[in-house]
Amino acid sequence: MTKKKSDRNFDSIAAKFQQNIYQTTKGRLRQLVLQRDLAECEALQQSSRVLDVGAGQGQLALWLASLGHQLLLTDLSAEMLAMAAESAKAQGLSEQISILNTGLAELAAGGQQYPVVLCHAVLEWLAEPELAIAQLWQLLEPGGTLSLMFYNLDAKRFSNIVYGNFNYVLRDLAYKKKVSLSPQHPLNPLDVHRWCLAQGFELVSKTGVRCFHDYLRDRSEQETEFDKLLEVELRYNRTEPYASLGRYQHLLLKKPL
């Protein structure tokens, strides 16, 4: 009997996730790119209710709360959400956030809708990512905006060719041993775009996230030249071919009225 896939829960490695992802240059860069995109998002130009699906430790949600928005943070990981709540208390933002320890399927079944929904670095950890697009549609009000970021299969393949990991690429990126913090199901951008358009979403914008950071020959420059790297990223990460080389792709999508 084939074992049924399940959605990923990070309860056992929440602290490790914080250290190895959020407190690194790649985490900082991702945060700043998303902040730029969302700061320009029409739906967030005035105070709004925002649902953050798979909010993790809530860095982006707390930034939005600091701008006056009301946030509902949801995640399968109670440990991640506890860290988010602790950060909110430390920043004096507890009254602007609510926390719910649940998954996307349960949220969609609840019937509640929001003007803005965030779903960042979640699809690649789900057992049924295509179904998730329909569930996100259900959670969004007509006229609402979905901020969707996912791990890019094309970029993962390209980076491993650049690194010289030819056997890994020729095995279709299959590891015998899984790496706990590395998404094991990167998504083909063409598939994600097709799923979104078939559902009825309208594409507002596409941004590459970490279009250059991961390809630097001298990895030390990720830290020593971070400000210049960020400037280059923000200048070119909406322009092809660079946008499609981002380790993640960030889509802003609108649900028609």
Side-chain angles (χ1 to χ4, degrees), residues 84-143:
E86 185 177 346
S87 296
K89 183 177 180 180
Q91 296 175 41
L93 296 170
S94 296
E95 292 186 2
Q96 289 177 250
I97 73 161
S98 301
I99 285 176
L100 186 59
N101 181 203
T102 192
L104 176 56
E106 291 74 21
L107 279 171
Q112 184 70 37
Q113 292 187 321
Y114 302 82
V116 180
V117 175
L118 313 181
C119 183
H120 298 153
V122 173
L123 286 188
E124 57 269 20
W125 298 104
L126 298 181
E128 298 180 276
E130 182 176 2
L131 176 59
I133 300 300
Q135 292 166 339
L136 291 166
W137 174 274
Q138 290 176 258
L139 287 164
L140 200 62
E141 292 180 355

Side-chain angles (χ1 to χ4, degrees), residues 147-163:
S147 174
L148 180 69
M149 186 181 74
F150 62 91
Y151 196 60
N152 180 1
L153 173 63
D154 293 335
K156 183 172 184 178
R157 182 183 296 112
F158 182 75
S159 64
N160 277 280
I161 293 171
V162 170
Y163 303 155

Side-chain angles (χ1 to χ4, degrees), residues 37-77:
D37 285 3
L38 293 178
E40 296 177 1
C41 177
E42 181 180 354
L44 291 169
Q45 296 309 302
Q46 56 187 6
S47 181
S48 186
R49 293 184 303 116
V50 181
L51 169 65
D52 193 345
V53 176
Q57 295 171 24
Q59 286 88 343
L60 192 66
L62 295 181
W63 172 74
L64 286 170
S66 74
L67 298 178
H69 303 289
Q70 293 291 324
L71 275 292
L72 172 59
L73 283 64
T74 70
D75 204 286
L76 285 176
S77 171

Side-chain angles (χ1 to χ4, degrees), residues 2 5-6 9 16 26 41-42 57 106 116 153 164 166 173-174 191 200 215 218 224 234 244 246:
T2 302
K5 292 181 180 179
S6 61
N9 185 322
K16 185 177 180 182
K26 60 185 179 183
C41 177
E42 181 180 354
Q57 295 171 24
E106 291 74 21
V116 180
L153 173 63
F166 305 122
L173 308 179
D191 288 340
Y215 308 120
D218 182 353
T224 62
L234 295 176
S244 291

Side-chain angles (χ1 to χ4, degrees), residues 137-204:
W137 174 274
Q138 290 176 258
L139 287 164
L140 200 62
E141 292 180 355
T145 297
L146 169 64
S147 174
L148 180 69
M149 186 181 74
F150 62 91
Y151 196 60
N152 180 1
L153 173 63
D154 293 335
K156 183 172 184 178
R157 182 183 296 112
F158 182 75
S159 64
N160 277 280
I161 293 171
V162 170
Y163 303 155
N165 298 328
F166 305 122
N167 290 333
Y168 176 45
V169 172
L170 293 172
R171 291 196 305 270
D172 291 328
L173 308 179
Y175 266 128
K176 290 183 179 179
K177 181 180 180 181
K178 302 298 184 184
V179 181
S180 62
L181 296 184
S182 179
Q184 297 304 308
H185 303 289
L187 297 167
N188 185 327
L190 293 178
D191 288 340
V192 178
H193 288 221
R194 176 169 52 82
W195 299 338
C196 291
L197 294 179
Q199 184 62 51
F201 282 109
E202 297 174 354
L203 179 64
V204 176

